[in-house]
Amino acid sequence: LVDRVAGGAAVFRSARTVFRFVAIALVIAAITATLATAVGMFTGSAWTGYGSVWMTWWLGNVAGLAVGTPLVLIASATPISMPTWRDALRILEGIALFVVLIAVGVIVFGGELPWNLQTYPLDVLAIPVLLWAAFRFSMREVAFAAAVLAGIAVWGTLQGFGPFSRPDRTESIIMLEAFVAVMGFTATALGAVVAEHRHAVASLEQLETTDPLTGLSNYRRLI
């Protein structure tokens, strides 16, 4: 479906195809969740709690697609080039980004705050870090940042820490899956928008400084 409708491996290079991918993910997740829940309920001989079980399956599928698919497709479709000394500042900024991301994740989901604040709703602190990744780096770094954040959120919630920790474990898992799905899709869509803007700016600069017929540099490039 991604190959036919949403651009294949280049699905995350455009906001338009990203939203098509989101629609595909929601539908496919609903179909598989319905089948899995029906099989589970049938073999268990009990149909009580069908709605909560279906929601858990559906959001789990959506969260996996939101985080896992961009990570795999972007990593496989984007060639990795060896960094040079000119990339030193960018590498340092990337290291700083992921140090801050891990620190925020541990603070929000790792139980490092005082006891009365360990379940405080501080998940919004992750949004500025994802914005940093989207505006300053490529889609590969955005997808990796979303995956790291998702991993920390899952680990912390299962340990009983973070804003999604509830006495009801099913409620905690549903809230966690919704957070991971929303953060994954938001980061990917925003990264695609920024990438499109960069490409448009580069194209305008190319048109401004070169002759459209021959491709040679023009007077503006000389100046």
Side-chain angles (χ1 to χ4, degrees):
L1 284 173
V2 171
D3 283 336
R4 289 179 175 272
V5 180
V11 55
F12 300 110
R13 297 180 185 176
S14 168
R16 177 173 56 86
T17 53
V18 167
F19 286 116
R20 289 183 180 180
F21 168 74
V22 173
I24 292 172
L26 295 177
V27 173
I28 295 299
I31 294 173
T32 55
T34 301
L35 295 175
T37 306
V39 171
M41 290 294 183
F42 179 77
T43 56
S45 301
W47 286 86
T48 58
Y50 179 87
S52 62
V53 174
W54 184 89
M55 182 64 70
T56 304
W57 272 99
W58 179 65
L59 283 175
N61 293 338
V62 172
L65 291 170
V67 174
T69 308
L71 195 63
V72 172
L73 287 184
I74 293 171
S76 62
T78 307
I80 299 177
S81 58
M82 293 299 296
T84 63
W85 63 271
R86 296 180 180 178
D87 302 321
L89 291 178
R90 188 173 182 83
I91 293 173
L92 290 176
E93 185 180 0
I95 295 173
L97 167 67
F98 286 102
V99 168
V100 172
L101 176 65
I102 293 174
V104 170
V106 171
I107 290 173
V108 176
F109 299 102
E112 297 299 326
L113 294 174
W115 181 253
N116 59 338
L117 296 178
Q118 286 182 350
T119 59
Y120 207 72
L122 297 175
D123 49 296
V124 293
L125 294 178
I127 296 177
V129 186
L130 293 179
L131 289 174
W132 181 7
F135 278 95
R136 294 289 298 164
F137 295 93
S138 67
M139 288 295 297
R140 183 194 291 114
E141 286 79 11
V142 173
F144 187 68
V148 170
L149 178 63
I152 297 175
V154 170
W155 170 80
T157 303
L158 293 180
Q159 299 298 317
F161 302 126
F164 310 123
S165 178
R166 296 290 188 275
D168 186 349
R169 194 170 183 83
T170 301
E171 182 182 354
S172 297
I173 293 175
I174 289 176
M175 295 175 63
L176 170 65
E177 291 170 339
F179 169 80
V180 171
V182 171
M183 289 296 103
F185 285 140
T186 301
T188 304
L190 184 59
V193 170
V194 174
E196 282 186 303
H197 175 72
R198 290 174 182 161
H199 179 71
V201 171
S203 298
L204 289 175
E205 291 178 351
Q206 180 74 11
L207 290 173
E208 184 182 20
T209 57
T210 58
D211 179 73
L213 180 61
T214 63
L216 298 175
S217 299
N218 60 14
Y219 180 73
R220 293 189 184 91
R221 174 66 63 84
L222 175 64
I223 296 300

